[in-house]
Amino acid sequence: MTKSEKTKEKIISKTIELIKETNGNSENITIRKIAQQCEIGIGLINHYFINKDKLIECCIQRIINDIVVFFKPTINTNLSKRNRVHQTACKVYDFFMFNPSISKISIIGDLSNPMILDNTSKSQMGFINSLNKNSDDYQDKLTIMILVFMMQESFLRRNIIKEQLGCDLNIKEERDKFIKDFVDIIVKED
């Protein structure tokens, strides 16, 4: 690894530490604080990442990627396909709610800069695994894409959904019912 690559990785590593310390609240993280932690000048951070928002987004994507890679929900294979998807969706949505700042940055990052192996795509692959197969079935893939997009959209618009549907997604029981109702609509049983 070159000196430049080491410096860039140090910036990312220290920023991830700050993100975790502040529970993902990027308003409490400054370029100056990152530079001090890394013992480098502010200009070097801007050189590598353009601005704080780009650096934070890069770090959040890495944090979420690490979580998604290891996300292997325990799925009761005795459950129906619909119930397995529902169970997985509830776990993912709970993660969103317990990590709202990180989740928001990751979702918006994927929406503004979609890539074939971004966190949204990896989440979709995790859902396919919840179906208990590495499915190449077009219908399953399309269903999971719709589900993941709905979850992301409803998370970002949860206050509006409360107004529109009277469902408070901040309350686990209501959130789980909302997810179940949606899964019941889109997941066809085998």
Side-chain angles (χ1 to χ4, degrees), residues 99-115:
N99 302 280
S101 297
I102 290 172
S103 297
K104 180 179 178 182
I105 293 168
S106 177
I107 292 167
I108 292 172
D110 285 357
L111 289 172
S112 64
N113 187 26
M115 294 185 285

Side-chain angles (χ1 to χ4, degrees), residues 5-6 31 35 41 57 65 67 73 79 90 99 105 115 128 131 135 143 145 148 151 157 159 161 164 168 172 179 184:
E5 292 169 330
K6 286 179 185 176
I31 290 287
E57 183 179 318
N65 180 59
I67 293 167
L79 295 175
C90 287
N99 302 280
I105 293 168
M115 294 185 285
I128 291 294
L131 298 176
S135 178
T143 299
M145 286 178 104
V148 171
M151 291 174 61
R157 298 173 58 92
N159 294 332
I161 285 177
Q164 291 174 325
D168 188 345
K172 180 160 177 51
I179 293 168
D184 287 349

Side-chain angles (χ1 to χ4, degrees), residues 86 90 93-94 97 158 161-163 165-182:
H86 174 251
C90 287
Y93 216 113
D94 287 347
M97 297 305 290
R158 61 192 178 279
I161 285 177
K162 184 177 179 182
E163 295 297 317
L165 300 176
C167 178
D168 188 345
L169 299 179
N170 295 306
I171 299 171
K172 180 160 177 51
E173 294 78 21
E174 291 187 38
R175 180 170 67 243
D176 288 353
K177 182 185 179 321
F178 172 80
I179 293 168
K180 181 183 183 322
D181 291 345
F182 191 79

Side-chain angles (χ1 to χ4, degrees), residues 52-61 105 109 112-113:
K52 182 182 106 170
D53 291 339
K54 295 286 184 195
L55 171 58
I56 297 289
E57 183 179 318
C58 171
C59 293
I60 295 293
Q61 293 300 345
I105 293 168
S112 64
N113 187 26

Side-chain angles (χ1 to χ4, degrees), residues 113-131:
N113 187 26
M115 294 185 285
I116 192 67
L117 287 177
D118 61 14
N119 292 326
T120 297
S121 296
K122 290 176 185 173
S123 295
Q124 292 166 356
M125 288 185 261
F127 272 100
I128 291 294
N129 291 337
S130 77
L131 298 176

Side-chain angles (χ1 to χ4, degrees), residues 10-65:
K10 185 175 184 180
I11 294 167
I12 292 170
S13 175
K14 292 294 183 183
T15 305
I16 287 173
E17 286 176 23
L18 290 170
I19 290 169
K20 289 178 179 178
E21 286 173 18
T22 63
N23 284 330
N25 189 349
S26 61
E27 290 84 35
N28 294 336
I29 301 170
T30 65
I31 290 287
R32 184 174 311 283
K33 191 176 213 175
I34 296 165
Q36 288 171 343
Q37 294 269 325
C38 295
E39 300 175 343
I40 59 172
I42 293 170
L44 201 50
I45 294 172
N46 291 327
H47 168 74
Y48 288 120
F49 298 99
I50 301 170
N51 59 42
K52 182 182 106 170
D53 291 339
K54 295 286 184 195
L55 171 58
I56 297 289
E57 183 179 318
C58 171
C59 293
I60 295 293
Q61 293 300 345
R62 189 174 287 187
I63 291 167
I64 297 291
N65 180 59

